[in-house]
Each structure stands twice: as C-alpha cells, then as structure tokens.
Amino acid sequence: MEIEKNNRINSLLEFYEQLLTPKQKEYITLYYADDYSLGEISEEFQVSRQAVYDNIKRTVNILEKYEQELHLLSNFEVRNAKFDQIRAYINQKYPEDTELKHFLDDLEKSEEE
C-alpha cells in the first residue's frame, strides 16, 4: 500500500510540480522521491518535524485536488492502456508490419515529450 501511494504521489508530482511553490516541491520531492525522513528534512531546513509533516500533507492534498480537477494522470494512464491494447493487436494481427509498429512508437514518444 505504501509503495502504491509513493508511486502515485511521484506520478502526480511529474504532472503538477510546476504548480507548487518551491518549498512544497522541495519537501515533497525529498520525502517521496528521495526517501528522506521527516527528521532529515526538518534538519536540512531547520524547521520542526511537524512543520515538514504539515507541509507535505497539505501538498499531497493540493496534488490530489489538481488531479481531481484536471485529470492529467488518469488520462495519461488511460492512453497508456490504449497504447498497450493497440500494440498487442498489431503484434497479433500484423506482426510483420514494421511501418505500423514504427508509427505507434512515434505516437508514444510524442506523448512523453
């Protein structure tokens, strides 16, 4: 469960980090992406552990609110599932069609940019 939450927060951060303040971005990145403890972050910024905890909790709520409103992560996940379905279909029905596979690869790469 904890790994799933960390993965979700890191994914949300990829989509919405530019909407966070520098402090929010730094605290949440250190905690979720870099696996710092609350104590390590509080020492680094010379604030209480409670202040770090409160900031991270607020930031997670902000990220979830952005996702509820904008759906960037959920839409990305749906598109990726569709790409997987299309790729499986192509591999099954058109295994020799390298041009079709190339088009799909290009489309997936454009999604990542």
Side-chain angles (χ1 to χ4, degrees):
M1 180 82 159
E2 192 66 30
I3 291 173
E4 289 174 14
K5 180 179 180 181
N6 283 3
N7 288 340
R8 178 166 175 79
I9 299 304
N10 283 319
S11 294
L12 290 172
L13 193 55
E14 286 183 42
F15 283 98
Y16 302 113
E17 86 175 286
Q18 296 304 315
L19 301 175
L20 300 176
T21 67
K23 186 194 298 187
Q24 288 171 328
K25 192 183 315 182
E26 197 153 15
Y27 282 15
I28 202 157
T29 300
L30 287 172
Y31 189 73
Y32 283 100
D34 298 337
D35 202 30
Y36 276 50
S37 69
L38 295 176
E40 290 170 322
I41 299 169
S42 70
E43 280 181 33
E44 175 118 0
F45 292 93
Q46 298 187 348
V47 296
S48 70
R49 289 179 54 167
Q50 186 65 45
V52 172
Y53 174 81
D54 290 344
N55 181 290
I56 290 171
K57 186 172 179 158
R58 271 192 312 276
T59 304
V60 167
N61 289 337
I62 289 168
L63 290 171
E64 291 291 356
K65 183 177 179 185
Y66 289 151
E67 178 61 13
Q68 285 176 356
E69 296 293 324
L70 301 171
H71 311 288
L72 297 180
L73 176 59
S74 60
N75 290 343
F76 177 78
E77 291 170 340
V78 167
R79 283 191 306 274
N80 276 348
K82 300 269 187 214
F83 278 124
D84 292 344
Q85 289 173 337
I86 293 168
R87 185 171 307 284
Y89 181 82
I90 290 170
N91 288 336
Q92 182 182 25
K93 299 289 185 177
Y94 306 99
E96 304 301 320
D97 193 337
T98 57
E99 189 171 3
L100 187 56
K101 290 178 182 181
H102 181 71
F103 288 143
L104 185 60
D105 288 341
D106 285 348
L107 187 58
E108 275 187 301
K109 286 177 188 170
S110 72
E111 181 73 18
E112 295 171 1
E113 295 173 355

